[in-house]
Amino acid sequence: MKTNLLGQTLSELQILCAEEGFPRFAAKQICDWLYKKRVDSIDAMTNLSKLQRARLNKMAYIGREAPVRCQVSKDGTKKYLFPVLDGHFIEAVFIPDDDRATLCVSCQVGCKMGCRFCVTGQQGFHGNLAAGDILNQMFGIPEFERLTNVVFMGMGEPMDNLDAILAATQVMTADWGLSWSPKRITVSSVGIIPGLKRFLDESQCHLAISLHNPVAQERLAVMPVQKAFPLNEVLALLRKYDWSGQRRLSFEYTMFRGMNDDLAHAQRLVEILKGLDCRVNLIRFHESSEAPYKTSTPTAIAAFQSYLNRNGVICTLRASRGQDIDAACGLLAGKE
Ligand code: SF4
């Protein structure tokens, strides 16, 4: 089987070059073509000899795939559909916002976590994306040059496909790659503890934990992961790390009417986050035919946010984007 060069790290390319009998510096040259010049064919790597290019073509390719569909929201958000793994599709969402332009990428086809309110979660799991599939979502869109941030909040649970996430973020942040600061990248998780620990030790990217309910039994009812990795154990792990520097910790909290949006929940949330350097992002739930939940009223959301802010937890309300094209949080399904 041929190797996808897109997503290969410098050290992986050094091994590949050694195996092919190329000089060691060829790996750096290949990185430059892949990540600085972003070519989509091996033949375009003109500082490799003809013989080297022919050998590379025999055993490798550059997995650049254009999106097969782009839906544009009235607010400017764009949802791109990419083909991956045997007939499946994944989605990436481009979100322009003044001087920022964020791309929300997927890391799996479907998801194993089964969060009850999430359309992706209801579709089951169909496979992991490779680092190249993740990077292709950035490289494959015409807005690549405008991107200021990437968030891993699309389809899938990043800690369940961590090798690919770490390789992709390494390509994005390394000087032989895109040279982005890790501050431009946020990886989200429902809280798979072994993956989180490794991520925190090996990456400097920001972390966002999907919290959604501070009461264990209630969280379990909507997020099955709570059984294997209870929130209190996730928080105990997070408390072992320093969040006062460059790296940011945030908690995602989707507001469900009558379920987690009253002051008792706000109070409990303040209690469990006490002393942790973090912020809470409230998200309006986007109702869909697949999930039986309702979105909170604007009054309930405002009261919740104000309680947190008054009690020492920085709390923002995430603007809703791309709802008319099913690009909002929890609505990605890779439908084709
Ligand atoms: Fe998976 Fe995230 Fe959906 Fe939960 S919310 S099922 S982790 S994609």
Side-chain angles (χ1 to χ4, degrees), residues 38-236:
R38 298 196 311 283
V39 298
D40 56 10
S41 100
I42 289 168
D43 292 326
M45 300 182 172
T46 48
N47 60 0
L48 300 184
S49 71
K50 267 195 175 158
L51 188 68
Q52 287 171 335
R53 277 179 268 159
R55 291 187 68 140
L56 261 189
N57 267 316
K58 263 205 179 132
M59 47 76 68
Y61 66 103
I62 302 177
R64 292 278 297 270
E65 287 272 2
V68 291
R69 193 172 70 202
C70 171
Q71 288 172 273
V72 184
S73 160
K74 55 182 188 280
D75 67 19
T77 300
K78 292 182 180 175
K79 184 169 74 169
Y80 288 100
L81 188 75
F82 288 93
V84 286
L85 309 169
D86 330 317
H88 289 290
F89 294 87
I90 50 122
E91 291 172 329
V93 182
F94 173 73
I95 311 159
D97 187 16
D98 294 333
D99 52 350
R100 281 168 73 102
T102 302
L103 186 70
C104 176
V105 295
S106 294
C107 66
Q108 293 180 317
V109 185
C111 185
K112 291 179 205 159
M113 299 301 123
C115 303
R116 306 266 186 262
F117 48 84
C118 168
V119 174
T120 310
Q122 302 313 308
Q123 298 204 330
F125 175 72
H126 302 285
N128 277 326
L129 297 189
D133 300 320
I134 294 169
L135 292 167
N136 184 57
Q137 296 167 64
M138 296 174 75
F139 287 29
I141 63 169
E143 295 85 2
F144 175 85
E145 296 288 356
R146 285 173 61 195
L147 291 178
T148 58
N149 297 78
V150 164
V151 297
F152 286 78
M153 295 185 181
M155 300 164 71
E157 161 56 41
M159 301 305 148
D160 190 38
N161 187 18
L162 192 53
D163 285 339
I165 304 293
L166 290 174
T169 53
Q170 198 186 338
V171 169
M172 290 159 72
T173 55
D175 55 1
W176 47 260
L178 300 181
S179 305
W180 276 33
S181 158
K183 286 185 288 181
R184 295 168 67 180
I185 305 164
T186 301
V187 178
S188 76
S189 175
V190 288
I192 297 181
I193 290 175
L196 271 184
K197 190 170 176 346
R198 190 173 153 217
F199 171 77
L200 291 170
D201 291 338
E202 295 182 23
S203 168
Q204 280 307 311
C205 298
H206 296 320
L207 176 67
I209 296 289
S210 303
L211 195 154
H212 306 311
N213 201 313
V215 181
Q217 278 309 312
E218 295 176 13
R219 188 171 189 259
L220 180 62
V222 287
M223 299 178 70
V225 70
Q226 170 73 18
K227 192 171 165 59
F229 301 112
L231 183 60
N232 60 346
E233 292 178 19
V234 174
L235 293 173

Side-chain angles (χ1 to χ4, degrees), residues 32 295 315:
D32 280 350
T295 188
C315 177

